[in-house]
Amino acid sequence: MSTMATELTIEAQRPGAEVYHGDALGRKKSMELLEEISLPLGLLPLEDIEEVGYNRSTGFVWLRQKKAKNHLFKKINRLTSYGTEITALAQERRLKKVTGVKTRELLIWVSLTDIYIDDPASGKITFKTPTGLSRSFPVTAFDVEEEEVKKINEAAEKEVAEAAAATVE
């Protein structure tokens, strides 16, 4: 999806959506969303998040970060690229119609369109490309350490308190 089309979609979804600004709060809210739909918390390891939006009535989610980021999932040795804008339709154990996320496959970058857990008992999460090809990995490869979650929550609380204090002045 082009940036212009993505922008139009985000703006169309904004009315009625929960929208959060700031890196720490954005990280916290994106992890809360992943937890709510039963996906691993480390699936979206973004940095310098500017905005997170979630329209519950449509399931549309968007995340904006200042610059694109590459992340290596060490447990499975997979390099993944996250663009400045990521969108998806959130459902239980699934992100559909994903935009802005690519993975390195041999020497090329391949877009991901679906991320899902069909059978939670399997311990596997599947990533699907627009061509229909898919790969499954252990869900644990995308876990976040409890200490990291605690740090993100504390940073979000501080960010919210500072924003509240700034509006009072």
Side-chain angles (χ1 to χ4, degrees):
M1 187 181 287
S2 71
T3 304
M4 186 59 146
T6 304
E7 185 63 35
L8 291 172
T9 304
I10 290 171
E11 291 315 309
Q13 294 289 332
R14 196 175 285 280
E18 299 167 24
V19 181
Y20 304 95
H21 297 274
D23 181 50
L25 187 58
R27 286 185 199 203
K28 178 180 185 204
K29 292 299 179 180
S30 65
M31 287 198 318
E32 285 176 0
L33 168 68
L34 290 169
E35 184 174 43
E36 189 178 309
I37 63 172
S38 306
L39 288 175
L41 302 186
L43 207 52
L44 299 169
L46 307 182
E47 290 177 356
D48 294 329
I49 295 175
E50 295 179 312
E51 183 176 88
V52 172
Y54 181 31
N55 187 325
R56 288 181 184 280
S57 63
T58 63
F60 187 82
V61 177
W62 71 91
L63 301 102
R64 288 183 169 146
Q65 59 182 350
K66 285 183 184 164
K67 59 185 191 305
K69 179 193 179 203
N70 289 344
H71 179 82
L72 178 66
F73 289 99
K74 292 182 181 132
K75 291 180 183 174
I76 55 169
N77 197 29
R78 280 285 162 191
L79 188 61
T80 303
S81 173
Y82 296 88
T84 54
E85 233 169 51
I86 293 130
T87 65
L89 290 176
Q91 298 176 344
E92 181 64 19
R93 298 191 326 258
R94 180 179 295 266
L95 289 174
K96 290 173 60 172
K97 298 186 179 182
V98 177
T99 68
V101 182
K102 295 179 180 182
T103 188
R104 190 75 185 229
E105 198 61 49
L106 298 174
L107 299 174
I108 59 169
W109 287 101
V110 180
S111 294
L112 296 176
T113 54
D114 283 303
I115 302 169
Y116 57 92
I117 298 173
D118 264 342
D119 176 13
S122 73
K124 299 278 186 190
I125 184 166
T126 303
F127 298 83
K128 193 171 172 185
T129 69
T131 60
L133 296 174
S134 63
R135 283 195 184 255
S136 296
F137 299 100
V139 171
T140 55
F142 306 93
D143 285 345
V144 175
E145 299 297 323
E146 212 171 297
E147 199 55 38
E148 180 69 13
V149 174
K150 188 176 173 186
K151 275 197 267 185
I152 289 169
N153 287 337
E154 287 170 359
E157 287 170 19
K158 183 179 178 193
E159 197 172 81
V160 169
E162 287 171 355
T167 58
V168 170
E169 292 172 5

